[in-house]
Amino acid sequence: MLYDNKIWVGTGDDHQPALLLPQMANRHGLIAGATGTGKTVTLKVIAEGFSAMGVPVFLGDIKGDLSGMVKMGEHSDKITERLMATGVSGFQHESFPTVFWDVYGEQGHPVRSTVSEMGPMLLARMLNLNETQAGVLNILFRVADDEGMLLVDLKDIKAMLAYVGENASQYTLNYGNVSKASIGAIQRAVALLEDQGGDKFFAEPALKISDWMQLDEEGRGFINILACDKLFLNPLMYSTFLLWMLSELYEMLPEAGDLDKPRMVFFFDEAHLLFDDCSKQLMDKIEQVIRLIRSKGVGVFFITQNPTDVPMSVLGQLGNRVQHALRAYTPLDQKAVKVAAQTFRTNPAFDTEEAITQLKTGEALISFLDENGAPGVVTRATILPPQSYMGAISENLRQTFLETSPFHGVYEQVIDRESAYEYLVASMTETAEAAQPQIIASAPVLQMPAAQPVAQHPAAPAASAQGFMVFDPVTGTYVQKQLETMAAPEPAAPVMQQPVAPAPVPQPVQQTVQQNVLVYDPTTGTYKQQLMTMTFDPTTGQYLPVQPQMDEKEAKKLAAEQEKAAKEAKKAEKERLAEERRQRADELREERAERARFNDSILGRIKNTAISTATRTLTSSLTRGLLGTLTGKKK
């Protein structure tokens, strides 16, 4: 509720209104108190006041009861009692322009971001990575940026993890060590985030923060409510998402300085989640955003149960305070009450520390900044009732407002454009296609059985004069060779060309024949003709060699032999290195022994004595010369 263009939050015991000045709202604020003391009502009263004066508001709805701001409030006995206690006249129930949002797209318009916009630091917090894993994730972002690959959704991250992991040796020298263990840990964290709905958040179209800074036809600011009842089940995702929005606001908005009213006000409920298990690097970023976003015209209000939940470096930046009751049942609670009381400017009318524990539901200690930016004297006040509906709205009413929202149909349809995943899949496909051997037949003359002559297939190619693929039995593959470099083959048995039968209907092509093929012999380095089984390929019209197939036992035997050979080679290499180290150690010991024997000999002692004497003489001479230069006397 507004009072003289100021937000009327409550009325003090002295019957004076406690007013929040809009020009001081970008100095941020704190709403603290135990559960059930009235923090939500205070939040709604302040948010309604900002909306009424034309300031857009964002707040997270964890319990679902903030959705009632879209509906006009209803009269009740409690509201009448509260109005009499606060002395408000002319109170009217109102509804406020509201837009519903939801990361999962169930209770509001979808809220999405891209992986690139989130950045490696915030994404590492969302994935709960340690320092080493966060460093590997930062390398992944650097590689994607340097190679021009977009990171949009989680499948891009998974594709990049596989790509960087397979090519770790290529990136280690330029970017740093990339271990398989870190890659695996990040992959598991990404899979967990995907199960929690992260695949719905990381997508396009990405949210434009400017869409939250809208006014209705009457000039009132829209209240953007994010459904957090499901998002809150993942505290890291919840806190990181809200911190990302603050960072986006900070980067998007230009410098504004001190304004008559803020451009936008941001309410961060359950603020302690933002600082739990927060790394120093991320804490520095939070402090920087809180300190500097004031100059962008944005106010941030933290809502939490205890002021000690907020670090002192951030708590000192919160000029507007509303403190509801705290319960001092334990020594730790009593210490928290004392710390909270010391943060207020003392009022001689009452004991602040004692008052914090005696506040009723709906009462609070209030201290707002005055026109000069100085904290006001703490006032014990009763909070005004909200003008909108207290409680959650029905699903039908929510759906009606979603369908009539100005952003209906803007973010609902997911767009999957070409990014890192599509690029890497296309590259792998091209590589696989290029790696497939193209077997070019040399079109040798087929040796036909005498009983059934077979005509050459009309699509069979002519003999190539440049080269062809030949089968290597050692590797079991075909290799390209040039005819000019091949040794002369051994003379083959004469082959008879059978005449074509004059029948009008051509004979069917024989599917399998015996064919002489040039095969490379690695022992002699030459090519020899070898009779091999050839099969007809109807797609190319050529006869291709049938590659030998090993049964399962032979394949296992060959694999075991190769593994055994590799182990023996590795063992031999270790023994060779160990032998080299032993020889080197023996040589060093022999050198030390030889020096010791020489020093112990008469000649060695004389030589060492002469060297020592010459050294002392030279040192003494240099010292006398230096002293003479400094004192001007000759020594």
Side-chain angles (χ1 to χ4, degrees):
M1 186 172 179
L2 297 183
Y3 179 85
D4 193 19
N5 293 326
K6 303 171 185 176
I7 301 178
W8 190 356
V9 179
T11 301
D13 292 343
D14 54 358
H15 304 291
Q16 295 296 321
L19 304 176
L20 174 61
L21 304 183
Q23 65 268 29
M24 292 297 165
N26 62 346
R27 267 68 171 180
H28 313 314
L30 174 69
I31 303 175
T35 300
T37 56
K39 298 191 300 297
T40 301
V41 172
T42 303
L43 184 155
K44 293 187 67 173
V45 171
I46 297 177
E48 291 174 355
F50 280 120
S51 176
M53 67 173 55
V55 177
V57 175
F58 170 85
L59 47 89
D61 189 6
I62 294 179
K63 295 178 291 185
D65 52 355
L66 296 181
S67 60
M69 302 183 76
V70 76
K71 181 180 177 182
M72 184 178 295
E74 298 178 354
H75 186 74
S76 65
D77 294 338
K78 289 186 177 181
I79 291 181
T80 302
E81 182 181 352
R82 185 73 64 88
L83 292 175
M84 293 179 60
T86 55
V88 178
S89 60
F91 181 85
Q92 294 181 354
H93 292 288
E94 293 185 16
S95 61
F96 292 86
T98 305
V99 180
F100 296 104
W101 303 88
D102 187 4
V103 170
Y104 303 99
E106 298 173 356
Q107 304 182 56
H109 302 299
V111 179
R112 302 187 186 93
S113 175
T114 63
V115 174
S116 297
E117 289 178 349
M118 180 66 66
M121 182 187 301
L122 295 181
L123 184 60
R125 173 177 170 79
M126 186 176 290
L127 296 175
N128 197 21
L129 304 180
N130 59 31
E131 185 177 354
T132 302
Q133 296 161 0
V136 173
L137 184 65
N138 188 70
I139 291 176
L140 185 144
F141 274 76
R142 289 284 303 275
V143 171
D145 185 59
D146 293 345
E147 298 188 5
M149 291 185 284
L150 295 176
L151 297 178
V152 176
D153 46 26
L154 291 184
K155 68 176 185 293
D156 293 331
I157 285 290
K158 293 190 290 186
M160 282 297 300
L161 285 170
Y163 172 71
V164 174
E166 292 175 356
N167 301 274
S169 59
Q170 302 178 13
Y171 296 112
T172 298
L173 294 178
N174 295 329
Y175 298 95
N177 186 37
V178 179
S179 65
K180 299 290 185 181
S182 297
I183 291 290
I186 299 174
Q187 287 175 332
R188 292 190 296 270
V190 170
L192 180 61
L193 178 62
E194 191 174 20
D195 293 338
Q196 295 172 347
D199 55 336
K200 297 181 180 179
F201 173 63
F202 290 105
E204 286 187 320
L207 173 70
K208 295 181 180 179
I209 302 295
S210 58
D211 288 344
W212 287 355
M213 305 176 67
Q214 304 292 331
L215 305 179
D216 68 352
E217 296 82 359
E218 301 177 6
R220 298 182 300 174
F222 271 97
I223 299 177
N224 300 275
I225 299 180
L226 178 69
C228 297
D229 52 347
K230 186 176 179 181
L231 179 64
F232 188 71
L233 299 178
N234 185 0
L236 281 179
M237 188 173 177
Y238 167 76
S239 59
T240 307
F241 169 73
L242 297 186
L243 180 58
W244 165 75
M245 288 191 297
L246 279 180
S247 302
E248 287 293 305
L249 280 173
Y250 173 74
E251 295 177 0
M252 181 192 70
L253 296 176
E255 291 288 333
D258 293 329
L259 303 175
D260 294 336
K261 59 183 179 181
R263 287 173 170 171
M264 187 175 184
V265 177
F266 188 96
F267 290 89
F268 201 135
D269 200 1
E270 300 294 338
H272 65 278
L273 297 176
L274 179 61
F275 309 103
D276 290 346
D277 300 327
C278 190
S279 65
K280 184 181 183 305
Q281 186 180 12
L282 184 59
M283 179 61 71
D284 293 341
K285 181 177 179 62
I286 296 173
E287 293 179 7
Q288 179 188 20
V289 171
I290 298 301
R291 291 173 186 270
L292 301 181
I293 204 172
R294 177 195 65 81
S295 62
K296 303 299 182 79
V298 177
V300 181
F301 280 74
F302 292 95
I303 298 92
T304 187
Q305 294 190 9
N306 199 314
T308 57
D309 295 336
V310 182
M312 292 299 175
S313 57
V314 177
L315 191 63
Q317 305 296 321
L318 311 181
N320 302 292
R321 305 284 186 89
V322 179
Q323 177 65 63
H324 288 271
L326 290 177
R327 310 307 179 197
Y329 298 125
T330 65
L332 188 61
D333 294 337
Q334 295 174 359
K335 182 179 179 180
V337 170
K338 185 176 182 179
V339 171
Q342 292 175 348
T343 60
F344 287 102
R345 184 176 172 184
T346 306
N347 190 335
F350 59 88
D351 186 344
T352 305
E353 183 176 347
E354 182 180 357
I356 290 178
T357 60
Q358 297 176 353
L359 292 172
K360 301 177 183 179
T361 300
E363 291 184 338
L365 299 182
I366 298 178
S367 176
F368 293 144
L369 298 178
D370 59 17
E371 293 83 354
N372 299 320
V377 176
V378 61
T379 302
R380 182 170 180 171
T382 302
I383 305 299
L384 268 64
Q387 296 174 276
S388 60
Y389 179 74
M390 285 293 299
I393 60 175
S394 63
E395 291 300 324
N396 292 334
L397 182 59
R398 182 190 294 268
Q399 190 63 33
T400 300
F401 277 97
L402 285 176
E403 294 175 355
T404 58
S405 169
F407 303 105
H408 177 66
V410 177
Y411 293 102
E412 275 70 18
Q413 187 65 34
V414 178
I415 300 175
D416 188 10
R417 62 169 170 162
E418 184 176 353
S419 53
Y421 172 78
E422 288 76 12
Y423 176 82
L424 292 174
V425 168
S427 299
M428 293 173 61
T429 303
E430 293 177 0
T431 304
E433 291 178 353
Q436 292 180 354
Q438 299 178 356
I439 303 177
I440 305 175
S442 59
V445 180
L446 295 177
Q447 185 176 359
M448 302 298 181
Q452 185 179 356
V454 180
Q456 187 176 5
H457 195 277
S464 174
Q466 299 297 327
F468 52 88
M469 303 295 292
V470 295
F471 179 75
D472 186 357
V474 178
T475 60
T477 59
Y478 291 84
V479 294
Q480 179 75 27
K481 295 297 180 181
Q482 301 295 329
L483 285 174
E484 291 77 7
T485 60
M486 293 190 300
E490 295 181 0
V495 180
M496 298 298 294
Q497 179 77 28
Q498 299 294 335
V500 180
V505 180
Q507 297 292 331
V509 178
Q510 187 173 351
Q511 297 297 324
T512 304
V513 296
Q514 295 294 322
Q515 171 71 39
N516 284 326
V517 178
L518 289 176
V519 180
Y520 178 72
D521 186 358
T523 59
T524 61
T526 60
Y527 293 84
K528 296 182 180 180
Q529 287 191 2
Q530 180 177 337
L531 190 64
M532 295 184 63
T533 303
M534 308 288 287
T535 182
F536 178 73
D537 186 2
T539 58
T540 61
Q542 299 176 352
Y543 284 92
L544 303 178
V546 178
Q547 297 189 15
Q549 299 290 336
M550 292 187 298
D551 57 14
E552 186 177 356
K553 292 183 178 180
E554 292 179 352
K556 290 182 178 180
K557 181 179 179 181
L558 179 59
E561 292 177 354
Q562 293 176 350
E563 183 178 0
K564 181 179 179 181
K567 290 182 179 179
E568 292 178 352
K570 187 176 181 180
K571 181 178 179 182
E573 180 65 16
K574 287 184 178 179
E575 293 178 353
R576 184 185 65 81
L577 294 176
E579 182 63 25
E580 290 182 357
R581 288 194 295 270
R582 287 193 294 269
Q583 292 178 0
R584 181 57 180 165
D586 294 341
E587 293 176 358
L588 292 176
R589 283 195 296 269
E590 183 62 28
E591 291 179 3
R592 287 195 294 269
E594 182 64 28
R595 286 196 299 270
R597 287 193 296 270
F598 176 77
N599 292 333
D600 291 339
S601 63
I602 297 177
L603 181 60
R605 292 177 182 178
I606 295 174
K607 183 177 180 180
N608 293 337
T609 303
I611 292 174
S612 301
T613 303
T615 302
R616 287 195 297 271
T617 303
L618 178 61
T619 303
S620 177
S621 176
L622 291 175
T623 303
R624 288 195 300 271
L626 181 61
L627 290 175
T629 302
L630 295 176
T631 59
K633 299 179 180 180
K634 295 183 178 180
K635 298 291 181 179

